[in-house]
Amino acid sequence: MIRLNLTATPEWLDLAPGLRLRVGPLTTALMVSARADLAVETLPEGATQEEMALAMAKSVARRAVLDWEGVGDDAGNIIPVSPEGIDALLEIWPVFEAFQTQYVARGLLLDAEKNVSAPSLTGPSAGATGTARPAQGPALTAPEN
């Protein structure tokens, strides 16, 4: 069952101790825009899955992150959300993994679900039985050359 969030309100994601991101809903428009991002479209043809995942995650995050808590500069001063800051934040492996799991993967799981057909209990194959008889007799083998 698909559960719809009709309020489409932003939510906070706790990605690490003391680090929270406020993100907007993961919508079709956001994903389409992220896929069309120049950084994603201009990846070299031989880019690895990891390079593609990082580029896509950064693209999604630049569109989705509205605010954050627990992000500062080298001196420990709180800094505002910026595209450069988001990219730098996602270069931190545990943060990238948490963002992928808590935000991006939800959309991908839903995308994967739509590509699977559930068995039909009322369709033409309901209660179907096999029509071919089991093979009997000696097994046939290909002639040796």
Side-chain angles (χ1 to χ4, degrees), residues 24-62:
L26 184 62
T27 63
T28 300
L30 188 144
M31 288 300 288
V32 168
S33 175
R35 287 181 182 166
D37 189 303
L38 190 61
V40 174
E41 286 192 337
T42 59
L43 282 169
E45 191 162 322
T48 65
Q49 290 288 338
E50 293 79 13
E51 291 168 328
M52 289 187 281
L54 181 57
M56 188 64 182
K58 287 179 178 181
S59 178
V60 167
R62 286 191 300 269

PDB file of all heavy atoms in Angstrom, residues 24-62:
ATOM      1  N   GLY A  24      12.380  19.355   2.394  1.00  0.00           N
ATOM      2  CA  GLY A  24      11.055  19.372   1.801  1.00  0.00           C
ATOM      3  C   GLY A  24      10.700  17.971   1.334  1.00  0.00           C
ATOM      4  O   GLY A  24      11.546  17.071   1.324  1.00  0.00           O
ATOM      5  N   PRO A  25       9.458  17.761   0.934  1.00  0.00           N
ATOM      6  CA  PRO A  25       9.031  16.444   0.476  1.00  0.00           C
ATOM      7  C   PRO A  25       9.807  16.003  -0.771  1.00  0.00           C
ATOM      8  O   PRO A  25      10.169  16.827  -1.613  1.00  0.00           O
ATOM      9  CB  PRO A  25       7.553  16.634   0.135  1.00  0.00           C
ATOM     10  CG  PRO A  25       7.156  17.922   0.751  1.00  0.00           C
ATOM     11  CD  PRO A  25       8.383  18.743   0.911  1.00  0.00           C
ATOM     12  N   LEU A  26      10.046  14.714  -0.863  1.00  0.00           N
ATOM     13  CA  LEU A  26      10.720  14.139  -2.029  1.00  0.00           C
ATOM     14  C   LEU A  26       9.666  13.937  -3.109  1.00  0.00           C
ATOM     15  O   LEU A  26       8.975  12.935  -3.146  1.00  0.00           O
ATOM     16  CB  LEU A  26      11.387  12.815  -1.664  1.00  0.00           C
ATOM     17  CG  LEU A  26      12.199  12.154  -2.761  1.00  0.00           C
ATOM     18  CD1 LEU A  26      13.355  13.038  -3.182  1.00  0.00           C
ATOM     19  CD2 LEU A  26      12.718  10.813  -2.283  1.00  0.00           C
ATOM     20  N   THR A  27       9.518  14.922  -3.972  1.00  0.00           N
ATOM     21  CA  THR A  27       8.471  14.905  -4.990  1.00  0.00           C
ATOM     22  C   THR A  27       9.035  14.495  -6.352  1.00  0.00           C
ATOM     23  O   THR A  27      10.245  14.490  -6.561  1.00  0.00           O
ATOM     24  CB  THR A  27       7.840  16.302  -5.136  1.00  0.00           C
ATOM     25  OG1 THR A  27       8.860  17.207  -5.587  1.00  0.00           O
ATOM     26  CG2 THR A  27       7.255  16.792  -3.816  1.00  0.00           C
ATOM     27  N   THR A  28       8.143  14.212  -7.251  1.00  0.00           N
ATOM     28  CA  THR A  28       8.541  13.910  -8.620  1.00  0.00           C
ATOM     29  C   THR A  28       9.269  15.098  -9.229  1.00  0.00           C
ATOM     30  O   THR A  28      10.298  14.936  -9.889  1.00  0.00           O
ATOM     31  CB  THR A  28       7.300  13.561  -9.468  1.00  0.00           C
ATOM     32  OG1 THR A  28       6.673  12.423  -8.888  1.00  0.00           O
ATOM     33  CG2 THR A  28       7.678  13.268 -10.904  1.00  0.00           C
ATOM     34  N   ALA A  29       8.759  16.291  -9.003  1.00  0.00           N
ATOM     35  CA  ALA A  29       9.393  17.492  -9.559  1.00  0.00           C
ATOM     36  C   ALA A  29      10.819  17.640  -9.048  1.00  0.00           C
ATOM     37  O   ALA A  29      11.730  17.982  -9.818  1.00  0.00           O
ATOM     38  CB  ALA A  29       8.564  18.732  -9.211  1.00  0.00           C
ATOM     39  N   LEU A  30      11.028  17.368  -7.766  1.00  0.00           N
ATOM     40  CA  LEU A  30      12.370  17.467  -7.200  1.00  0.00           C
ATOM     41  C   LEU A  30      13.310  16.451  -7.850  1.00  0.00           C
ATOM     42  O   LEU A  30      14.424  16.779  -8.240  1.00  0.00           O
ATOM     43  CB  LEU A  30      12.313  17.245  -5.690  1.00  0.00           C
ATOM     44  CG  LEU A  30      13.615  17.496  -4.941  1.00  0.00           C
ATOM     45  CD1 LEU A  30      13.326  18.114  -3.596  1.00  0.00           C
ATOM     46  CD2 LEU A  30      14.411  16.241  -4.779  1.00  0.00           C
ATOM     47  N   MET A  31      12.854  15.202  -7.988  1.00  0.00           N
ATOM     48  CA  MET A  31      13.703  14.162  -8.579  1.00  0.00           C
ATOM     49  C   MET A  31      14.001  14.438 -10.054  1.00  0.00           C
ATOM     50  O   MET A  31      15.129  14.252 -10.505  1.00  0.00           O
ATOM     51  CB  MET A  31      13.053  12.788  -8.420  1.00  0.00           C
ATOM     52  CG  MET A  31      13.070  12.277  -6.992  1.00  0.00           C
ATOM     53  SD  MET A  31      14.730  12.097  -6.301  1.00  0.00           S
ATOM     54  CE  MET A  31      15.318  10.669  -7.196  1.00  0.00           C
ATOM     55  N   VAL A  32      13.004  14.895 -10.797  1.00  0.00           N
ATOM     56  CA  VAL A  32      13.220  15.208 -12.216  1.00  0.00           C
ATOM     57  C   VAL A  32      14.223  16.352 -12.344  1.00  0.00           C
ATOM     58  O   VAL A  32      15.129  16.309 -13.177  1.00  0.00           O
ATOM     59  CB  VAL A  32      11.873  15.553 -12.908  1.00  0.00           C
ATOM     60  CG1 VAL A  32      12.095  16.148 -14.278  1.00  0.00           C
ATOM     61  CG2 VAL A  32      11.008  14.306 -13.001  1.00  0.00           C
ATOM     62  N   SER A  33      14.071  17.356 -11.513  1.00  0.00           N
ATOM     63  CA  SER A  33      14.996  18.484 -11.524  1.00  0.00           C
ATOM     64  C   SER A  33      16.408  18.034 -11.158  1.00  0.00           C
ATOM     65  O   SER A  33      17.388  18.460 -11.772  1.00  0.00           O
ATOM     66  CB  SER A  33      14.502  19.549 -10.545  1.00  0.00           C
ATOM     67  OG  SER A  33      15.425  20.588 -10.440  1.00  0.00           O
ATOM     68  N   ALA A  34      16.522  17.175 -10.160  1.00  0.00           N
ATOM     69  CA  ALA A  34      17.841  16.680  -9.740  1.00  0.00           C
ATOM     70  C   ALA A  34      18.508  15.873 -10.854  1.00  0.00           C
ATOM     71  O   ALA A  34      19.712  16.000 -11.095  1.00  0.00           O
ATOM     72  CB  ALA A  34      17.709  15.832  -8.477  1.00  0.00           C
ATOM     73  N   ARG A  35      17.746  15.060 -11.542  1.00  0.00           N
ATOM     74  CA  ARG A  35      18.314  14.264 -12.648  1.00  0.00           C
ATOM     75  C   ARG A  35      18.797  15.143 -13.791  1.00  0.00           C
ATOM     76  O   ARG A  35      19.704  14.781 -14.519  1.00  0.00           O
ATOM     77  CB  ARG A  35      17.280  13.264 -13.162  1.00  0.00           C
ATOM     78  CG  ARG A  35      17.046  12.115 -12.233  1.00  0.00           C
ATOM     79  CD  ARG A  35      16.050  11.146 -12.797  1.00  0.00           C
ATOM     80  NE  ARG A  35      15.812  10.062 -11.858  1.00  0.00           N
ATOM     81  CZ  ARG A  35      14.821   9.217 -11.943  1.00  0.00           C
ATOM     82  NH1 ARG A  35      13.947   9.318 -12.932  1.00  0.00           N
ATOM     83  NH2 ARG A  35      14.686   8.270 -11.059  1.00  0.00           N
ATOM     84  N   ALA A  36      18.161  16.305 -13.955  1.00  0.00           N
ATOM     85  CA  ALA A  36      18.540  17.220 -15.034  1.00  0.00           C
ATOM     86  C   ALA A  36      19.675  18.156 -14.617  1.00  0.00           C
ATOM     87  O   ALA A  36      20.107  18.985 -15.418  1.00  0.00           O
ATOM     88  CB  ALA A  36      17.324  18.032 -15.473  1.00  0.00           C
ATOM     89  N   ASP A  37      20.159  18.036 -13.391  1.00  0.00           N
ATOM     90  CA  ASP A  37      21.245  18.875 -12.885  1.00  0.00           C
ATOM     91  C   ASP A  37      22.475  18.712 -13.775  1.00  0.00           C
ATOM     92  O   ASP A  37      22.824  17.599 -14.171  1.00  0.00           O
ATOM     93  CB  ASP A  37      21.570  18.465 -11.447  1.00  0.00           C
ATOM     94  CG  ASP A  37      22.528  19.414 -10.758  1.00  0.00           C
ATOM     95  OD1 ASP A  37      23.637  19.623 -11.287  1.00  0.00           O
ATOM     96  OD2 ASP A  37      22.185  19.925  -9.688  1.00  0.00           O
ATOM     97  N   LEU A  38      23.134  19.804 -14.064  1.00  0.00           N
ATOM     98  CA  LEU A  38      24.318  19.780 -14.914  1.00  0.00           C
ATOM     99  C   LEU A  38      25.397  18.854 -14.357  1.00  0.00           C
ATOM    100  O   LEU A  38      26.060  18.134 -15.111  1.00  0.00           O
ATOM    101  CB  LEU A  38      24.857  21.200 -15.086  1.00  0.00           C
ATOM    102  CG  LEU A  38      25.945  21.392 -16.132  1.00  0.00           C
ATOM    103  CD1 LEU A  38      25.438  21.012 -17.517  1.00  0.00           C
ATOM    104  CD2 LEU A  38      26.418  22.839 -16.131  1.00  0.00           C
ATOM    105  N   ALA A  39      25.556  18.831 -13.028  1.00  0.00           N
ATOM    106  CA  ALA A  39      26.571  17.969 -12.409  1.00  0.00           C
ATOM    107  C   ALA A  39      26.259  16.492 -12.631  1.00  0.00           C
ATOM    108  O   ALA A  39      27.167  15.671 -12.702  1.00  0.00           O
ATOM    109  CB  ALA A  39      26.666  18.262 -10.915  1.00  0.00           C
ATOM    110  N   VAL A  40      24.990  16.148 -12.748  1.00  0.00           N
ATOM    111  CA  VAL A  40      24.592  14.756 -13.006  1.00  0.00           C
ATOM    112  C   VAL A  40      24.696  14.448 -14.496  1.00  0.00           C
ATOM    113  O   VAL A  40      25.234  13.411 -14.894  1.00  0.00           O
ATOM    114  CB  VAL A  40      23.160  14.492 -12.486  1.00  0.00           C
ATOM    115  CG1 VAL A  40      22.682  13.104 -12.878  1.00  0.00           C
ATOM    116  CG2 VAL A  40      23.098  14.677 -10.969  1.00  0.00           C
ATOM    117  N   GLU A  41      24.181  15.348 -15.316  1.00  0.00           N
ATOM    118  CA  GLU A  41      24.170  15.110 -16.761  1.00  0.00           C
ATOM    119  C   GLU A  41      25.557  15.086 -17.383  1.00  0.00           C
ATOM    120  O   GLU A  41      25.759  14.454 -18.414  1.00  0.00           O
ATOM    121  CB  GLU A  41      23.310  16.160 -17.463  1.00  0.00           C
ATOM    122  CG  GLU A  41      21.833  15.944 -17.262  1.00  0.00           C
ATOM    123  CD  GLU A  41      21.001  16.807 -18.186  1.00  0.00           C
ATOM    124  OE1 GLU A  41      21.478  17.854 -18.668  1.00  0.00           O
ATOM    125  OE2 GLU A  41      19.844  16.422 -18.424  1.00  0.00           O
ATOM    126  N   THR A  42      26.518  15.779 -16.792  1.00  0.00           N
ATOM    127  CA  THR A  42      27.852  15.858 -17.384  1.00  0.00           C
ATOM    128  C   THR A  42      28.847  14.865 -16.773  1.00  0.00           C
ATOM    129  O   THR A  42      30.047  14.989 -17.018  1.00  0.00           O
ATOM    130  CB  THR A  42      28.419  17.285 -17.271  1.00  0.00           C
ATOM    131  OG1 THR A  42      28.484  17.650 -15.887  1.00  0.00           O
ATOM    132  CG2 THR A  42      27.567  18.276 -18.041  1.00  0.00           C
ATOM    133  N   LEU A  43      28.341  13.903 -16.015  1.00  0.00           N
ATOM    134  CA  LEU A  43      29.246  12.864 -15.512  1.00  0.00           C
ATOM    135  C   LEU A  43      29.863  12.148 -16.704  1.00  0.00           C
ATOM    136  O   LEU A  43      29.178  11.910 -17.710  1.00  0.00           O
ATOM    137  CB  LEU A  43      28.484  11.858 -14.650  1.00  0.00           C
ATOM    138  CG  LEU A  43      28.145  12.299 -13.234  1.00  0.00           C
ATOM    139  CD1 LEU A  43      27.167  11.308 -12.602  1.00  0.00           C
ATOM    140  CD2 LEU A  43      29.402  12.412 -12.393  1.00  0.00           C
ATOM    141  N   PRO A  44      31.132  11.786 -16.621  1.00  0.00           N
ATOM    142  CA  PRO A  44      31.743  11.081 -17.745  1.00  0.00           C
ATOM    143  C   PRO A  44      31.065   9.732 -17.988  1.00  0.00           C
ATOM    144  O   PRO A  44      30.496   9.140 -17.059  1.00  0.00           O
ATOM    145  CB  PRO A  44      33.198  10.892 -17.304  1.00  0.00           C
ATOM    146  CG  PRO A  44      33.230  11.164 -15.852  1.00  0.00           C
ATOM    147  CD  PRO A  44      32.039  11.990 -15.518  1.00  0.00           C
ATOM    148  N   GLU A  45      31.129   9.258 -19.203  1.00  0.00           N
ATOM    149  CA  GLU A  45      30.451   8.020 -19.572  1.00  0.00           C
ATOM    150  C   GLU A  45      30.908   6.837 -18.726  1.00  0.00           C
ATOM    151  O   GLU A  45      30.130   5.955 -18.412  1.00  0.00           O
ATOM    152  CB  GLU A  45      30.656   7.709 -21.056  1.00  0.00           C
ATOM    153  CG  GLU A  45      29.771   6.589 -21.529  1.00  0.00           C
ATOM    154  CD  GLU A  45      29.643   6.557 -23.020  1.00  0.00           C
ATOM    155  OE1 GLU A  45      29.566   7.639 -23.634  1.00  0.00           O
ATOM    156  OE2 GLU A  45      29.625   5.456 -23.581  1.00  0.00           O
ATOM    157  N   GLY A  46      32.143   6.827 -18.325  1.00  0.00           N
ATOM    158  CA  GLY A  46      32.661   5.723 -17.524  1.00  0.00           C
ATOM    159  C   GLY A  46      32.538   5.941 -16.031  1.00  0.00           C
ATOM    160  O   GLY A  46      33.197   5.256 -15.246  1.00  0.00           O
ATOM    161  N   ALA A  47      31.667   6.842 -15.592  1.00  0.00           N
ATOM    162  CA  ALA A  47      31.521   7.130 -14.160  1.00  0.00           C
ATOM    163  C   ALA A  47      31.051   5.881 -13.426  1.00  0.00           C
ATOM    164  O   ALA A  47      30.220   5.118 -13.925  1.00  0.00           O
ATOM    165  CB  ALA A  47      30.537   8.270 -13.947  1.00  0.00           C
ATOM    166  N   THR A  48      31.588   5.682 -12.226  1.00  0.00           N
ATOM    167  CA  THR A  48      31.203   4.526 -11.426  1.00  0.00           C
ATOM    168  C   THR A  48      29.829   4.752 -10.796  1.00  0.00           C
ATOM    169  O   THR A  48      29.345   5.883 -10.738  1.00  0.00           O
ATOM    170  CB  THR A  48      32.229   4.275 -10.306  1.00  0.00           C
ATOM    171  OG1 THR A  48      32.187   5.385  -9.398  1.00  0.00           O
ATOM    172  CG2 THR A  48      33.637   4.097 -10.853  1.00  0.00           C
ATOM    173  N   GLN A  49      29.250   3.678 -10.303  1.00  0.00           N
ATOM    174  CA  GLN A  49      27.968   3.778  -9.604  1.00  0.00           C
ATOM    175  C   GLN A  49      28.094   4.705  -8.393  1.00  0.00           C
ATOM    176  O   GLN A  49      27.174   5.461  -8.090  1.00  0.00           O
ATOM    177  CB  GLN A  49      27.508   2.387  -9.139  1.00  0.00           C
ATOM    178  CG  GLN A  49      27.093   1.477 -10.259  1.00  0.00           C
ATOM    179  CD  GLN A  49      25.768   1.883 -10.880  1.00  0.00           C
ATOM    180  OE1 GLN A  49      24.956   2.577 -10.272  1.00  0.00           O
ATOM    181  NE2 GLN A  49      25.536   1.480 -12.107  1.00  0.00           N
ATOM    182  N   GLU A  50      29.242   4.638  -7.721  1.00  0.00           N
ATOM    183  CA  GLU A  50      29.467   5.471  -6.547  1.00  0.00           C
ATOM    184  C   GLU A  50      29.506   6.948  -6.921  1.00  0.00           C
ATOM    185  O   GLU A  50      28.938   7.796  -6.228  1.00  0.00           O
ATOM    186  CB  GLU A  50      30.763   5.063  -5.841  1.00  0.00           C
ATOM    187  CG  GLU A  50      30.718   3.680  -5.217  1.00  0.00           C
ATOM    188  CD  GLU A  50      30.910   2.540  -6.217  1.00  0.00           C
ATOM    189  OE1 GLU A  50      31.327   2.802  -7.379  1.00  0.00           O
ATOM    190  OE2 GLU A  50      30.629   1.397  -5.851  1.00  0.00           O
ATOM    191  N   GLU A  51      30.190   7.278  -8.010  1.00  0.00           N
ATOM    192  CA  GLU A  51      30.257   8.667  -8.471  1.00  0.00           C
ATOM    193  C   GLU A  51      28.873   9.172  -8.860  1.00  0.00           C
ATOM    194  O   GLU A  51      28.503  10.311  -8.544  1.00  0.00           O
ATOM    195  CB  GLU A  51      31.217   8.792  -9.653  1.00  0.00           C
ATOM    196  CG  GLU A  51      32.668   8.583  -9.285  1.00  0.00           C
ATOM    197  CD  GLU A  51      33.580   8.426 -10.497  1.00  0.00           C
ATOM    198  OE1 GLU A  51      33.136   7.888 -11.537  1.00  0.00           O
ATOM    199  OE2 GLU A  51      34.750   8.853 -10.392  1.00  0.00           O
ATOM    200  N   MET A  52      28.099   8.325  -9.526  1.00  0.00           N
ATOM    201  CA  MET A  52      26.745   8.719  -9.923  1.00  0.00           C
ATOM    202  C   MET A  52      25.854   8.914  -8.692  1.00  0.00           C
ATOM    203  O   MET A  52      25.079   9.868  -8.627  1.00  0.00           O
ATOM    204  CB  MET A  52      26.142   7.684 -10.862  1.00  0.00           C
ATOM    205  CG  MET A  52      26.786   7.687 -12.235  1.00  0.00           C
ATOM    206  SD  MET A  52      25.964   6.602 -13.417  1.00  0.00           S
ATOM    207  CE  MET A  52      26.611   5.014 -12.933  1.00  0.00           C
ATOM    208  N   ALA A  53      25.982   8.016  -7.706  1.00  0.00           N
ATOM    209  CA  ALA A  53      25.168   8.127  -6.492  1.00  0.00           C
ATOM    210  C   ALA A  53      25.488   9.407  -5.734  1.00  0.00           C
ATOM    211  O   ALA A  53      24.578  10.096  -5.250  1.00  0.00           O
ATOM    212  CB  ALA A  53      25.389   6.907  -5.599  1.00  0.00           C
ATOM    213  N   LEU A  54      26.764   9.748  -5.624  1.00  0.00           N
ATOM    214  CA  LEU A  54      27.150  10.966  -4.908  1.00  0.00           C
ATOM    215  C   LEU A  54      26.666  12.210  -5.640  1.00  0.00           C
ATOM    216  O   LEU A  54      26.110  13.124  -5.025  1.00  0.00           O
ATOM    217  CB  LEU A  54      28.666  11.015  -4.714  1.00  0.00           C
ATOM    218  CG  LEU A  54      29.195  12.240  -3.955  1.00  0.00           C
ATOM    219  CD1 LEU A  54      28.560  12.352  -2.578  1.00  0.00           C
ATOM    220  CD2 LEU A  54      30.712  12.179  -3.866  1.00  0.00           C
ATOM    221  N   ALA A  55      26.824  12.241  -6.958  1.00  0.00           N
ATOM    222  CA  ALA A  55      26.367  13.396  -7.736  1.00  0.00           C
ATOM    223  C   ALA A  55      24.856  13.564  -7.612  1.00  0.00           C
ATOM    224  O   ALA A  55      24.351  14.683  -7.438  1.00  0.00           O
ATOM    225  CB  ALA A  55      26.771  13.249  -9.203  1.00  0.00           C
ATOM    226  N   MET A  56      24.123  12.465  -7.665  1.00  0.00           N
ATOM    227  CA  MET A  56      22.666  12.532  -7.560  1.00  0.00           C
ATOM    228  C   MET A  56      22.241  12.946  -6.155  1.00  0.00           C
ATOM    229  O   MET A  56      21.338  13.773  -5.992  1.00  0.00           O
ATOM    230  CB  MET A  56      22.055  11.181  -7.937  1.00  0.00           C
ATOM    231  CG  MET A  56      20.566  11.195  -8.033  1.00  0.00           C
ATOM    232  SD  MET A  56      19.999  12.274  -9.365  1.00  0.00           S
ATOM    233  CE  MET A  56      18.243  12.119  -9.157  1.00  0.00           C
ATOM    234  N   ALA A  57      22.892  12.409  -5.129  1.00  0.00           N
ATOM    235  CA  ALA A  57      22.549  12.769  -3.749  1.00  0.00           C
ATOM    236  C   ALA A  57      22.786  14.256  -3.511  1.00  0.00           C
ATOM    237  O   ALA A  57      21.959  14.930  -2.879  1.00  0.00           O
ATOM    238  CB  ALA A  57      23.365  11.935  -2.768  1.00  0.00           C
ATOM    239  N   LYS A  58      23.901  14.775  -4.009  1.00  0.00           N
ATOM    240  CA  LYS A  58      24.174  16.208  -3.845  1.00  0.00           C
ATOM    241  C   LYS A  58      23.126  17.038  -4.577  1.00  0.00           C
ATOM    242  O   LYS A  58      22.649  18.051  -4.058  1.00  0.00           O
ATOM    243  CB  LYS A  58      25.574  16.544  -4.366  1.00  0.00           C
ATOM    244  CG  LYS A  58      26.689  16.059  -3.471  1.00  0.00           C
ATOM    245  CD  LYS A  58      28.040  16.401  -4.067  1.00  0.00           C
ATOM    246  CE  LYS A  58      29.187  15.974  -3.182  1.00  0.00           C
ATOM    247  NZ  LYS A  58      30.506  16.344  -3.774  1.00  0.00           N
ATOM    248  N   SER A  59      22.770  16.614  -5.766  1.00  0.00           N
ATOM    249  CA  SER A  59      21.769  17.333  -6.545  1.00  0.00           C
ATOM    250  C   SER A  59      20.419  17.341  -5.830  1.00  0.00           C
ATOM    251  O   SER A  59      19.755  18.377  -5.749  1.00  0.00           O
ATOM    252  CB  SER A  59      21.638  16.689  -7.930  1.00  0.00           C
ATOM    253  OG  SER A  59      20.655  17.324  -8.687  1.00  0.00           O
ATOM    254  N   VAL A  60      20.019  16.193  -5.298  1.00  0.00           N
ATOM    255  CA  VAL A  60      18.758  16.107  -4.557  1.00  0.00           C
ATOM    256  C   VAL A  60      18.833  16.987  -3.315  1.00  0.00           C
ATOM    257  O   VAL A  60      17.917  17.754  -3.021  1.00  0.00           O
ATOM    258  CB  VAL A  60      18.445  14.637  -4.186  1.00  0.00           C
ATOM    259  CG1 VAL A  60      17.320  14.556  -3.164  1.00  0.00           C
ATOM    260  CG2 VAL A  60      18.101  13.834  -5.431  1.00  0.00           C
ATOM    261  N   ALA A  61      19.930  16.886  -2.575  1.00  0.00           N
ATOM    262  CA  ALA A  61      20.063  17.645  -1.328  1.00  0.00           C
ATOM    263  C   ALA A  61      20.039  19.149  -1.569  1.00  0.00           C
ATOM    264  O   ALA A  61      19.439  19.895  -0.791  1.00  0.00           O
ATOM    265  CB  ALA A  61      21.346  17.243  -0.606  1.00  0.00           C
ATOM    266  N   ARG A  62      20.682  19.604  -2.647  1.00  0.00           N
ATOM    267  CA  ARG A  62      20.679  21.045  -2.931  1.00  0.00           C
ATOM    268  C   ARG A  62      19.267  21.565  -3.160  1.00  0.00           C
ATOM    269  O   ARG A  62      18.974  22.728  -2.920  1.00  0.00           O
ATOM    270  CB  ARG A  62      21.571  21.355  -4.129  1.00  0.00           C
ATOM    271  CG  ARG A  62      23.057  21.275  -3.817  1.00  0.00           C
ATOM    272  CD  ARG A  62      23.910  21.838  -4.932  1.00  0.00           C
ATOM    273  NE  ARG A  62      23.748  21.159  -6.196  1.00  0.00           N
ATOM    274  CZ  ARG A  62      24.483  20.123  -6.616  1.00  0.00           C
ATOM    275  NH1 ARG A  62      25.447  19.659  -5.851  1.00  0.00           N
ATOM    276  NH2 ARG A  62      24.267  19.566  -7.775  1.00  0.00           N
TER     277      ARG A  62
END
